[in-house]
């Protein structure tokens, strides 16, 4: 019988070897998330991941059972990534592969008709540029919702913002992306 994450947390408090199962379940997901919010695709991302798991393990006894473990783990990962970025005093680039960009295009396109306005490849470039120009608060919700498949409640738990705020941030982020795509498209039309 497969134990839930929350059961594994309880078991890990008694037997530290059980923590390895949690690490195995979340290692790739959290590493991908770190890469997305820091833009690091090298050993730095793995270093952040290692620090994250150390922090998770040290704080297992503080885990709030009313939350999902995944939300709690993502929250710690988010904080560790932001701390790393602050230490480096760098801007926060968002890197997405073509599949992720295409998924975001399809989602946004179905809701905003952006896809009809430009060719998909050009749109992918525009969306990447637009996301990088968005304020951090919009980048965070876009990554968590569209790329990490988190629901409003999970994003609320991860970012420590009310659920209604998450909805507002997502709506505004999509509008900003659409506006940027239209402006970019119009400027391309003028230069032809």
């Amino acid at each position: 019988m497969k134990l839930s994450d929350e059961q594994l947390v309880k078991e890990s408090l008694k037997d530290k070897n059980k923590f390895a199962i949690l690490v195995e379940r979340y290692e790739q997901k959290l590493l991908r998330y770190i890469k997305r919010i820091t833009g690091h695709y090298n050993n730095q991302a793995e270093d952040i991941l290692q620090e994250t798991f150390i922090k998770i393990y040290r704080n297992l006894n503080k885990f709030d059972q009313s939350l999902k473990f995944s939300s709690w783990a993502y929250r710690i990962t988010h904080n560790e990534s932001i701390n790393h970025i602050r230490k480096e005093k760098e801007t926060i680039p968002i890197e997405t592969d073509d599949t992720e960009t295409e998924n975001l295009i399809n989602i946004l396109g179905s809701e905003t008709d952006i896809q009809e306005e430009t060719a998909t490849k050009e749109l992918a470039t525009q969306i990447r540029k637009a996301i990088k120009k968005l304020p951090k608060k919009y980048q965070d919700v876009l990554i968590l919702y569209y790329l990490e498949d988190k629901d409003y409640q999970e994003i609320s738990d991860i970012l420590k913002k009310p659920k209604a705020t998450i909805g507002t941030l997502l709506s505004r982020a999509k509008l900003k992306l659409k506006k940027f795509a239209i402006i970019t498209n119009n400027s391309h039309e003028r230069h032809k």
Side-chain angles (χ1 to χ4, degrees):
M1 184 172 100
K2 185 176 176 181
L3 295 175
S4 72
D5 294 341
E6 292 72 21
Q7 290 169 322
L8 276 172
V9 169
K10 288 179 185 175
E11 294 291 322
S12 296
L13 291 170
K14 299 174 202 167
D15 177 5
K16 63 182 177 183
N17 293 323
K18 298 284 185 183
F19 186 68
I21 299 169
L22 282 171
V23 170
E24 188 176 310
R25 280 186 190 175
Y26 283 90
E27 185 173 30
Q28 291 306 311
K29 293 175 187 176
L30 296 180
L31 183 60
R32 183 184 64 227
Y33 181 59
I34 290 166
K35 290 175 178 179
R36 286 176 173 158
I37 65 174
T38 64
H40 293 312
Y41 285 82
N42 52 26
N43 292 340
Q44 287 178 313
E46 290 178 12
D47 291 345
I48 296 168
L49 180 66
Q50 184 176 8
E51 289 299 316
T52 298
F53 278 121
I54 290 169
K55 191 163 269 187
I56 289 171
Y57 182 75
R58 287 184 181 155
N59 291 290
L60 276 180
N61 59 343
K62 296 177 185 175
F63 171 62
D64 180 355
Q65 294 287 329
S66 69
L67 295 175
K68 284 179 143 182
F69 175 78
S70 65
S71 298
W72 186 70
Y74 268 84
R75 178 71 192 156
I76 292 171
T77 305
H78 182 84
N79 289 342
E80 283 299 305
S81 299
I82 297 304
N83 288 340
H84 174 78
I85 290 167
R86 285 183 184 141
K87 285 179 191 171
E88 289 191 344
K89 294 183 180 171
E90 63 186 30
T91 58
I92 304 173
I94 293 185
E95 298 296 331
T96 59
D97 63 27
D98 289 336
T99 305
E100 292 169 348
T101 303
E102 191 172 315
N103 290 342
L104 188 56
I105 290 167
N106 290 335
I107 291 166
L108 291 172
S110 66
E111 294 175 15
T112 63
D113 293 331
I114 292 175
Q115 202 168 25
E116 294 174 10
E117 297 173 19
T118 61
T120 302
K121 196 158 194 133
E122 185 178 318
L123 181 58
T125 303
Q126 291 175 5
I127 287 179
R128 268 193 222 107
K129 287 178 185 177
I131 288 174
K132 288 179 183 179
K133 291 182 179 193
L134 289 176
K136 179 80 175 97
K137 63 185 178 182
Y138 297 134
Q139 291 178 15
D140 289 344
V141 294
L142 285 171
I143 290 170
L144 288 167
Y145 189 75
Y146 289 113
L147 303 178
E148 296 297 324
D149 295 323
K150 298 296 178 194
D151 63 29
Y152 282 31
Q153 184 60 56
E154 290 175 297
I155 299 170
S156 171
D157 293 340
I158 293 166
L159 298 179
K160 298 291 185 205
K161 294 181 186 215
K163 213 164 124 175
T165 301
I166 300 304
T168 301
L169 289 171
L170 275 170
S171 293
R172 289 179 182 166
K174 290 190 294 186
L175 287 173
K176 287 182 179 294
L177 282 176
K178 182 179 179 183
K179 182 178 177 183
F180 180 81
I182 291 169
I183 290 169
T184 305
N185 189 41
N186 287 342
S187 72
H188 285 296
E189 292 295 319
R190 280 192 296 256
H191 294 325
K192 284 184 178 178

